[in-house]
Amino acid sequence: MLKRMNIFPILKYACAAAVVITSLFSLAYPGNNRLASLFTQLFLSLMFLFSGISEFKTNRKTYAIVSFSVSLFAVIVFISTLLLRKG
């Protein structure tokens, strides 16, 4: 039974729950809470990555390519936000 179980949809839903939680935390405390938005971007990119992998495994290549490209864009935004220096 464990061989048939696909872990990527479970990881996708876990990352989606983390995105919702960190987004709500960011909305609840709108001050100088940069860390919550960073975690939101990280979990969002992971969610699209796992979504792309699960779409690729079910032979929906166009949706997989779109998910991978959105994930790559979110990772680039995450890294650029990390490297951005406020002076």
Side-chain angles (χ1 to χ4, degrees):
M1 179 169 164
L2 288 176
K3 283 186 175 182
R4 291 185 183 181
M5 193 167 101
N6 196 358
I7 193 73
F8 294 113
I10 296 169
L11 290 173
K12 178 177 66 172
Y13 292 131
C15 287
V19 166
V20 169
I21 289 169
T22 55
S23 296
L24 288 175
F25 185 73
S26 178
L27 286 173
Y29 302 105
N32 223 355
N33 199 357
R34 188 173 169 216
L35 190 63
S37 66
L38 285 175
F39 278 120
T40 303
Q41 290 173 354
L42 175 68
F43 286 123
L44 190 64
S45 65
L46 288 175
M47 182 186 74
F48 277 112
L49 178 70
F50 295 139
S51 175
I53 292 171
S54 66
E55 294 292 329
F56 191 74
K57 286 183 126 184
T58 58
N59 291 329
R60 290 184 273 195
K61 307 261 191 268
T62 55
Y63 295 127
I65 291 171
V66 170
S67 292
F68 286 141
S69 61
V70 170
S71 174
L72 180 67
F73 177 73
V75 166
I76 289 171
V77 169
F78 173 70
I79 290 172
S80 67
T81 307
L82 274 178
L83 296 177
L84 183 71
R85 289 184 61 156
K86 264 190 162 175

